[in-house]
Structures are given as C-alpha cells and as structure tokens.
Amino acid sequence: VQKTLPEPPVSEPRDHASIIDVANLAGVSPTTVSRALRGLKHVSPLTRARVEAAASELSYVASPAGSGLASGRTFSVGVVVPIVTRWFFAQVVAGAATVLREAGYDLLLYNLVDASGREQFFERMPLRRRVDAVLVVSLPLAGHEVSSLRDLGAPIVTVGSRDPAFPGVRIDDAEGTRQAIRHLVNLGHESVAMISALEDDDMGFAAAIDRRIAFREALPDATQNPHIVAGMWGLQGGQSAMAALLGGEKLPTAVFAEYDEMAFGAVTTLRKAGLRIPGDVSIVGFDNHELAVMADLTTVAQPVREQGEVAARLLLDGLSGASDPETDVVLPTHLVVRGSTAPARHPHGLRRGVGPAVASSP
Amino acid sequence: VQKTLPEPPVSEPRDHASIIDVANLAGVSPTTVSRALRGLKHVSPLTRARVEAAASELSYVASPAGSGLASGRTFSVGVVVPIVTRWFFAQVVAGAATVLREAGYDLLLYNLVDASGREQFFERMPLRRRVDAVLVVSLPLAGHEVSSLRDLGAPIVTVGSRDPAFPGVRIDDAEGTRQAIRHLVNLGHESVAMISALEDDDMGFAAAIDRRIAFREALPDATQNPHIVAGMWGLQGGQSAMAALLGGEKLPTAVFAEYDEMAFGAVTTLRKAGLRIPGDVSIVGFDNHELAVMADLTTVAQPVREQGEVAARLLLDGLSGASDPETDVVLPTHLVVRGSTAPARHPHGLRRGVGPAVASSP
DNA sequence: CTGAAAGCGCTTACAG
DNA sequence: CTGAAAGCGCTTACAG
C-alpha cells in the first residue's frame, strides 16, 4: 500500500464540500439540501435541522458560481463611484455596504477615478451578469451610459443625480445653496464668490451644476458679479481657486465652496496668506464633512451615509419587485453655522465695526 | 397561431448573447470562441478576428458564473477593511482598485465596521469561492481568523500588519514613531502625551500597538510619565482624549497622536479651549492625511495609496504563482514638519535654553 | 414534504 | 489550429 504523501506546505486550492457531500451526510437529496439551506418552505423541521447540521459540520457554503449559473442571481450589487477617496463617496459606500450586507448581498466596488476609467467602465460593462443591481453615485449620466445600464436588465438606483431614467436618492442642491447664500446675504455680504471644480471636471457631479445655477440665482443683485473660479477638485482645487481669487483685483468678502473639501483648500490658502477667517473673508462649505468642525466651517449639512442606505434599500425593493421606478427621494439639508462666517466688512471705506469671531492663526 | 405578447415596459432581465450565439455567428465552435476571446495561443489570426467581431457585434461578455464554474476562477479579489470611511483605508482601497482593475479583476469590498461585523465575516466567510485572492488591511488577525483565511486556499496579502502567516506590505511603525518623538525631544519637550484609540478598539490596528510600544521606549526618561489616553476612534476619539488631558493635573507640552484624524480631534478641542498650537501645546500626528496641511500639522508621512498598490501586485503575483510567501515589504516613513510643533515652553520655571535633548536612539 | 432529471454557460482535457 | 464531449455545482420545474 502506498503511503499518503505529505500535504503541500501552503495553501493550494482546497476542495470545498459540495452540496452532494452535504446531501450524503444528511441522508437526503441535493434538492432538499438546497431548499433547506435557502430557507424555503416545504421542508420538515427535522430535515432542515439535519441538513443544517451537516452543512455546518462540513463548513459548506453554496458555490456562488454554481447557484449563479442555475438561478441567474449573483447576490451581489455593483456600486459605482467617481472617486472613493473623496469623503462623500466613502460615506455613501459605507452606508450602502451596511444595508446590503444585512440583506446578504456582496458589494462590488467600481472606482472610476477619471474620464478614461469612466469610459472603460461603460464600454466593458464589467457588471454584465456579475451583479443583480447597480448603485450609481453622483454621475450625471450621458445617453449611452443610461442605455448601457438599462441593458443590464437589472435594477439601477442613483444617488445625487436627478436622472429621470432611474429611481434615486438626493438632496435639493438648489435649496441647500440658497440656505448658504441667504446666510451670507443676511450677514451683509455683497461680494460673494463661488469656488467650484465644475469646469474642469470630467467626473462632475450633477450636484455641482445645480449648485452653480442656484448660486447665481440666489444672489440678490446680478450686478454683484459672482465669481466662479474653476480649479482642480478637492483640497488642491480649493487652494488654487482661492489663490486665483487672492490674485484678482478685488477680494470678495465671502466665498461659497462647492463642497467642504474645496472650502478646506480655501481655508488653507487664506491662512498661509495671513488672512483671517472670518475677519477678512467668510467661508461657507457644503456637506458638513466630518472635519468641518476642525476648520470651524459654516456649511450646508446633508445626510450622506443615509443617502447610501436609502439607495441600497431602494435597490433591494427593486430586486424584490416591490419598487416604484419613479421614486425620487429627496433628503433635507440644513445650514450649520460655525465660526467661518461673520458680518461683512464693507471694503469700500465704510468700516462698520464688526467683531469677528476667534480666528486661530498658527 | 397565438400572437406574441407585447414586451414588458421596462427592464426585465435581458437575454444576453451566449457563447453559442457568438460561435454560430462566427462560424466556429464554442471552444474556439472561448480560446480566442481569452487570448490563448493556437488560434489563427483570421479566426480570432472573426470571433472578436462576432462578440463585439453581439455585445458578448462571458458569463462569470459559467466560466467560474468551469474554471474555478472568479477574476475577483476580496478587500477587507476595518472602516472604509477612514481616510487611510479609503486610500488603500483606491490604490488596490487601480492595480486590480488594470489586471482585469473586480473588487469585492468587505467593510467590517465593528467587532460584530468582523465576527460575522469570519464566521460566514462570504469569500468562499467568491474570490481568487484576498487583501486584508490593518487587522491584527486572531488564530482562528488566520485559519479561516488559509482555508480559502487562495493567496492572501496583508497591509499594515506584520503577521508572519501571510506576505504583506507595511511601514515600520516603531521607526515612524521614533521620528516623531525625536523631533519633539529635540525641541526640548519633556512632557509628552500620546493619545490613542487602542484600548477601546476592537478593530485595532497592529500599527497602534507598535506605535504605543515605540512611544514608551523612545522617550528618553521613563520618569516623564508618558500619558496614554484611550478614546473612541477618529476625530471624536482625539477630541475626548484631548479633553481628558485638559482635565488632568498637568498639561503636557506636546501630544503625539496615533494617527492624524485623532490629531485633528486634539486640534479641535484645543482651539475650542482657547489654547494655541504650538504656543501652548505642540502636536504631532501620523499618516500625513490629505488635510494635515490645512491643520498645519506636523506628522509622520507614510505612503498610503502605494501600500494598496503594492499589496495588489503581490496578490497578482500570488495568483500567477510567482510569489514568495515570505514577502514582507516595508515602505519608508518620514517626518513632515509643519507649524503645529515648536520648542517647549518650560512650565516649571527653570527655563533651560532649548537644548538638543539626548534621545535614546535604539 | 421529498427526489430524479435537466440544464444554466462556460472551460478543460482529449482527439484530430 | 480546431472541435465534440464531459463536467464544473448548483436550482428549477415536474412528479410523486
């Protein structure tokens, strides 16, 4: 008799127990194992218990490939984000992840990063037959992108877009912007700039567009020449946009940033330039980023993680056929007033004394 | 003859083209289609072109379930992170995502969130037969977790852990900590506290442990009573830890934070308390978080996204059988000096000039 | 409540 | 260089 050879030292693909192993151990057919383990009706409690015991003894988990092929379901969901390292997107992903996990779905993450990644994604459509549903975050979808997604034949839900093609969750960006501008106007600011990554932005939010339009409309007097400076995105975008404003003829008394990370960039540049916030310039952001409190930043708060959660639930509804494709959930925003905004100094001479709040300068 | 019923109005699972459809259109066998599309050898250029044309005409993409079942490969990789919303983890994920996408792998994200999520994950092992390889980020793995992962029979790579069970990428946390402490000591600080989320932390980094130990060892004089205050994690952890220090008998002249987000919390609390940085307290963080520049924070920089990239490459090596399981890649750290640190004020009267203190360099 | 049979869409040896 | 056959591990009607 030949002796058993020693096992290879490290992990080679192990043989996992199959449904047949479980069936044999439990003394039933594979069909019954399948039914019992999926919690279907019409299995006697005794049988079910026996099957479960056998499955657990063998550490059996149904092969996703096997069941996927047979059933057409993957039990996973694709989540498409522009840039997962941006705070907003990570929050949305986390919110969705929680809900999906509870429902037993895996999360396939597609991080588009830039225009070329986006193109590749929609061309190759790696989602095809890989996912049961798709969550698309913050992308204003082009026509061919909409049809690519439609062709998936799977439920699609958007976050932060208002594309009528799919159900979605979002905030009212125009209203949020108005909340910010109203605050600045009430403080007496007459020279307000907006800094935005919009122009430069292949990955542009739908939100960015709405915020810009609302910004223009919300300023009381069109002659005040709202100033939109496009930069790169994120912190660096905010820095360079603010630098551009500093290099301009007349510094605005207040700046509205498309989102908090740009506001942070503006804060950074202002501090480096030795200017005080809000003494010299007031700043309002958008999002209520976790670190807005450190920057003492006045900002328009939106529920972020919740948008991911709600969207995931809509997706699950779609999967169970219980959804209304017309759904458009709009979550509320509110202004959080912190120390980065103060009444306007009126730069044209009339210095009405206004005690700016504490500006911590390094 | 019965008339065809009208199609349902919206997206029901579409029938995707199968390999047979492509084979018929191209006038070859399914076997040849399979070979041609996967770029295998032994297909004539003409045949390959014909197959590719047919596939593209039909928008054919091989069913992952079908090929997975037949080949045993999934072309996807699991990435396990404690909390994806933390800056560090999002960066690592993004780094890995880029490399994996280039190699044609999908990324399955597992966001553990808390101890219960972690437990569930290792119990259910949703990775089983779902992924070809696994990237585990920053978790110090318990024995049973190591064996769960081993049982997957798939390549495993870690980031930010130094578990000898698997190849991995990391930094030298002890050395990074020494860089920070040396800086403070050179500035004359004799009362340095460390704030850390360690004690509280079910999701604890391996890194946190190393940093704490190194902190204790790096301080030149043991009598100086290094003060470790455990708090919650993240910004709030830093806030409450700093608040605890403020409530203590003697405020340290410098604080070393386990990582930048905790440092940000400390900064926030100090500013609210009206204390100046670095005038009253110097602060050093760890990570060089994107927003450290806004906080003007001195910090130990580590390559974060790169760790994700390198780890993903190790994984791909493992998949192609080209890897050395002993691999332990250590990436360098360096101190970035900004405005949050300054020479110590000596609170106890005896103002010895800011001398270069003697550091006990290991 | 339970099971035998067919089939989901691929890939893998094996032939030629 | 190409193809016919078998089989990967499940689930789904269909019977009983």
Side-chain angles (χ1 to χ4, degrees):
Chain A
V1 181
Q2 205 181 338
K3 287 183 75 175
T4 310
L5 289 170
E7 292 286 291
V10 249
S11 54
E12 284 308 298
R14 294 283 197 297
D15 279 337
H16 298 294
S18 84
I19 197 171
I20 296 185
D21 301 323
V22 178
N24 291 341
L25 183 57
V28 296
S29 74
T31 309
T32 298
V33 171
S34 174
R35 274 196 284 251
L37 260 26
R38 284 183 297 151
L40 299 188
K41 285 276 163 201
H42 306 299
V43 180
S44 79
L46 193 80
T47 305
R48 194 185 299 275
R50 209 176 288 155
V51 169
E52 276 163 359
S56 124
E57 168 148 0
L58 300 174
S59 299
Y60 171 76
V61 175
S63 151
S67 68
L69 191 51
S71 71
R73 304 196 60 179
T74 64
F75 282 99
S76 62
V77 166
V79 175
V80 185
V81 296
I83 307 177
V84 71
T85 48
R86 286 253 303 264
W87 178 82
F88 181 93
F89 299 123
Q91 295 288 326
V92 172
V93 168
T98 303
V99 172
L100 293 174
R101 180 175 66 184
E102 270 168 23
Y105 282 82
D106 276 327
L107 190 162
L108 240 7
L109 181 68
Y110 295 95
N111 188 32
L112 264 25
V113 180
D114 56 24
S116 114
R118 177 177 187 157
E119 215 168 277
Q120 266 186 50
F121 174 82
F122 282 102
E123 257 170 33
R124 290 189 38 219
M125 259 301 124
L127 298 170
R128 205 176 285 273
R129 301 193 260 191
R130 264 210 167 280
V131 299
D132 295 338
V134 183
L135 191 57
V136 182
V137 185
S138 289
L139 296 170
L141 298 165
H144 72 277
E145 293 173 340
V146 168
S147 18
S148 287
L149 290 170
R150 274 236 177 79
D151 283 352
L152 252 28
I156 313 281
V157 168
T158 61
V159 168
S161 141
R162 52 194 185 326
D163 200 309
F166 306 115
V169 186
R170 60 185 179 95
I171 56 165
D172 184 337
D173 286 287
E175 173 56 22
T177 302
R178 269 177 242 123
Q179 292 167 345
I181 301 306
R182 217 179 283 143
H183 173 66
L184 292 174
V185 167
N186 287 344
L187 289 172
H189 289 277
E190 296 183 346
S191 169
V192 182
M194 174 170 178
I195 61 179
S196 155
L198 184 64
E199 314 294 343
D200 182 46
D201 200 355
D202 280 310
M203 306 297 292
F205 306 132
I209 301 165
D210 289 355
R211 290 178 199 172
R212 181 173 67 163
I213 295 172
F215 169 76
R216 289 201 165 131
E217 292 178 352
L219 278 183
D221 182 345
T223 65
Q224 284 157 22
N225 189 23
H227 201 145
I228 297 186
V229 180
M232 297 161 291
W233 55 269
L235 184 80
Q236 292 178 17
Q239 288 180 287
S240 71
M242 193 67 232
L245 284 174
L246 288 178
E249 292 189 4
K250 176 189 147 201
L251 189 63
T253 62
V255 171
F256 170 57
E258 186 192 321
Y259 53 93
D260 283 351
E261 279 150 310
M262 293 201 83
F264 295 157
V267 167
T268 305
T269 294
L270 285 169
R271 284 197 186 146
K272 285 216 168 122
L275 293 176
R276 288 162 316 139
I277 303 165
D280 295 306
V281 181
S282 285
I283 300 197
V284 183
F286 205 118
D287 278 354
N288 200 21
H289 186 292
E290 183 187 6
L291 297 179
V293 64
M294 175 173 77
D296 204 18
L297 181 70
T298 296
T299 186
V300 180
Q302 65 169 314
V304 182
R305 166 179 228 106
E306 286 83 343
Q307 289 181 72
E309 292 169 356
V310 173
R313 279 190 211 105
L314 289 180
L315 230 33
L316 295 174
D317 289 349
L319 252 11
S320 66
S323 77
D324 177 357
E326 306 271 297
T327 311
D328 178 29
V329 179
V330 180
L331 264 30
T333 59
H334 67 276
L335 187 73
V336 176
V337 178
R338 295 200 182 90
S340 69
T341 46
R345 291 183 307 130
H346 283 272
H348 295 307
L350 296 174
R351 184 150 205 153
R352 316 174 206 153
V354 167
V358 192
S360 48
S361 31
Chain B
V1 181
Q2 205 179 336
K3 287 183 76 174
T4 311
L5 291 169
E7 292 287 291
V10 250
S11 56
E12 285 308 298
R14 294 284 198 296
D15 280 337
H16 299 294
S18 83
I19 198 171
I20 296 184
D21 300 323
V22 179
N24 291 341
L25 183 57
V28 296
S29 74
T31 308
T32 299
V33 172
S34 174
R35 274 196 284 252
L37 260 25
R38 283 182 297 151
L40 299 188
K41 285 277 163 203
H42 306 300
V43 180
S44 80
L46 194 80
T47 306
R48 194 186 299 276
R50 209 177 288 155
V51 169
E52 275 164 358
S56 123
E57 168 148 0
L58 299 175
S59 299
Y60 171 75
V61 175
S63 151
S67 68
L69 191 52
S71 71
R73 304 196 58 180
T74 64
F75 281 100
S76 61
V77 166
V79 175
V80 185
V81 295
I83 306 177
V84 72
T85 49
R86 287 254 302 264
W87 178 83
F88 181 93
F89 299 123
Q91 295 288 326
V92 171
V93 168
T98 303
V99 171
L100 293 174
R101 179 175 67 185
E102 270 168 23
Y105 282 83
D106 276 327
L107 189 163
L108 240 6
L109 180 69
Y110 296 94
N111 188 31
L112 264 26
V113 181
D114 55 25
S116 115
R118 176 177 188 158
E119 214 168 279
Q120 266 186 52
F121 174 82
F122 281 102
E123 258 170 33
R124 289 189 38 220
M125 258 302 124
L127 298 170
R128 204 176 287 273
R129 299 193 261 191
R130 263 209 166 281
V131 299
D132 294 339
V134 183
L135 190 58
V136 182
V137 185
S138 288
L139 295 171
L141 297 166
H144 72 277
E145 293 173 339
V146 168
S147 19
S148 288
L149 289 169
R150 274 236 177 78
D151 283 351
L152 252 29
I156 313 281
V157 168
T158 61
V159 168
S161 141
R162 52 193 184 326
D163 200 309
F166 306 115
V169 186
R170 60 186 179 95
I171 56 166
D172 184 338
D173 286 287
E175 173 55 22
T177 301
R178 270 177 241 125
Q179 292 167 346
I181 300 305
R182 216 178 284 143
H183 173 65
L184 292 174
V185 167
N186 287 343
L187 289 172
H189 289 278
E190 297 183 346
S191 168
V192 182
M194 174 170 179
I195 60 179
S196 156
L198 184 65
E199 314 293 344
D200 182 46
D201 202 355
D202 280 310
M203 306 299 291
F205 306 131
I209 300 165
D210 289 354
R211 290 178 199 172
R212 180 173 67 163
I213 294 172
F215 170 76
R216 288 202 167 131
E217 292 178 353
L219 277 183
D221 183 346
T223 64
Q224 283 157 23
N225 188 22
H227 200 145
I228 298 185
V229 181
M232 298 161 289
W233 56 270
L235 184 80
Q236 292 178 19
Q239 289 180 286
S240 69
M242 193 67 234
L245 284 173
L246 288 179
E249 291 189 3
K250 176 188 147 200
L251 189 63
T253 62
V255 172
F256 171 56
E258 185 192 322
Y259 53 93
D260 283 351
E261 279 149 309
M262 292 201 85
F264 294 157
V267 168
T268 306
T269 294
L270 284 169
R271 284 196 186 148
K272 284 216 170 123
L275 293 176
R276 287 163 316 138
I277 303 163
D280 295 306
V281 181
S282 285
I283 300 198
V284 183
F286 204 118
D287 278 355
N288 200 20
H289 186 293
E290 183 187 7
L291 297 179
V293 63
M294 175 173 77
D296 203 19
L297 181 70
T298 296
T299 185
V300 180
Q302 65 168 314
V304 183
R305 165 179 230 107
E306 286 84 343
Q307 290 183 69
E309 292 169 355
V310 172
R313 278 190 212 105
L314 289 181
L315 231 33
L316 296 173
D317 290 349
L319 254 9
S320 66
S323 76
D324 177 356
E326 305 271 297
T327 311
D328 178 29
V329 179
V330 180
L331 264 31
T333 60
H334 67 276
L335 187 73
V336 176
V337 178
R338 295 200 181 90
S340 69
T341 46
R345 293 182 307 131
H346 284 273
H348 295 306
L350 292 176
R351 187 144 204 154
R352 321 170 208 153
V354 179
V358 186
S360 63
S361 310

